[in-house]
Amino acid sequence: SQQGEEDPQALSIQEGENATMNCSYKTSINNLQWYRQNSGRGLVHLILIRSNEREKHSGRLRVTLDTSKKSSSLLITASRAADTASYFCAAGGSNYKLTFGKGTLLTVNP
Amino acid sequence: GAGVSQSPSNKVTEKGKDVELRCDPISGHTALYWYRQSLGQGLEFLIYFQGNSAPDKSGLPSDRFSAERTGGSVSTLTIQRTQQEDSAVYLCASSPQQIETQYFGPGTRLLVL
């Protein structure tokens, strides 16, 4: 069964608002990663948080990880139209394989 | 430097034909991954190569699917006797040894008629 499951499946917000996406996973992880995909093509790595970390920041991105609840969240602050994309979480095990969720489609309206 | 490249970008084939999809990883990356993404879905793991170790083929959906990696660099994913359900975007990724982050190519969009 799939590890990462994102929530919501789709999110539509206005430019300048914050966007929050959640991810749940099922088994133990080594790390939890977030990727972005534009137009159904290649994915771009955004941020990685390790299992012993609780929060991490990168620019306008903030990721939290709660291993007791097996969940993570991605917050994008002050969203821009260019942030419109699909966002995927990926659960990483010790063998460097990633298990991806189905993604959240974020639409940021100008 | 150059990123991961994949060819062709798009492939249309007839049911029953064989197809070969190519991936050129980032130079020096020892790990190479193949994924399949059906419309509106997440990524489904297919196969993983790491250096000279035996590949992890646990994600290949049937014996019609195979992949090889020559000289620890370029990889080819072959689908024999294609079926309509094989239509998807096939994504390749690579990463340096012992690094968790994966770098993705633009994918090959396969359509089986």
Side-chain angles (χ1 to χ4, degrees):
Chain A
S1 59
Q2 280 202 326
Q3 279 268 38
E5 295 290 341
E6 290 88 347
D7 167 50
Q9 292 185 346
L11 179 62
S12 182
I13 60 175
Q14 296 300 122
E15 208 164 24
E17 294 180 339
N18 296 341
T20 300
M21 289 160 270
N22 302 297
C23 168
S24 61
Y25 57 92
K26 293 182 172 61
T27 62
S28 297
I29 60 169
N30 178 276
N31 64 83
L32 193 291
Q33 301 181 40
W34 286 88
Y35 287 78
R36 166 192 167 129
Q37 183 180 42
N38 287 84
S39 305
R41 302 301 275 198
L43 278 71
V44 175
H45 178 261
L46 295 176
I47 194 165
L48 178 153
I49 186 166
R50 299 193 181 282
S51 59
N52 62 352
E53 297 176 311
R54 292 296 168 260
E55 187 170 314
K56 200 161 185 179
H57 297 254
S58 176
R60 293 184 296 114
L61 305 179
R62 181 172 80 96
V63 170
T64 62
L65 179 64
D66 187 335
T67 53
S68 67
K69 295 181 180 177
K70 290 186 167 57
S71 67
S72 173
S73 67
L74 172 67
L75 168 68
I76 304 175
T77 60
S79 63
R80 305 166 182 168
D83 294 329
T84 295
S86 291
Y87 292 82
F88 294 87
C89 70
S94 57
N95 58 3
Y96 300 101
K97 284 168 59 177
L98 294 178
T99 306
F100 286 82
K102 293 184 179 181
T104 292
L105 176 60
L106 172 66
T107 302
V108 181
N109 301 299
Chain B
V4 178
S5 61
Q6 292 186 245
S7 60
S9 297
N10 296 280
K11 177 72 177 179
V12 180
T13 190
E14 294 179 348
K15 177 181 173 181
K17 301 281 189 183
D18 298 351
V19 294
E20 284 189 353
L21 311 179
R22 176 186 169 106
C23 172
D24 283 84
I26 293 172
S27 178
H29 282 195
T30 57
L32 187 148
Y33 308 78
W34 281 99
Y35 297 90
R36 177 170 71 175
Q37 184 179 30
S38 300
L39 187 63
Q41 299 296 309
L43 276 70
E44 175 189 4
F45 166 78
L46 296 177
I47 189 169
Y48 162 43
F49 296 89
Q50 174 58 272
N52 296 320
S53 302
D56 179 343
K57 304 179 181 181
S58 60
L60 294 178
S62 77
D63 58 8
R64 296 187 295 105
F65 288 72
S66 63
E68 62 178 23
R69 189 178 185 192
T70 54
S73 180
V74 173
S75 177
T76 301
L77 177 69
T78 301
I79 309 174
Q80 296 179 310
R81 306 181 301 282
T82 52
Q83 304 293 312
Q84 288 182 332
E85 60 263 29
D86 298 334
S87 297
V89 176
Y90 289 82
L91 292 159
C92 174
S94 70
S95 66
Q97 189 170 10
Q98 308 296 316
I99 299 297
E100 299 94 340
T101 301
Q102 296 184 15
Y103 298 82
F104 282 81
T108 293
R109 191 178 301 275
L110 175 66
L111 177 60
V112 182
L113 300 177

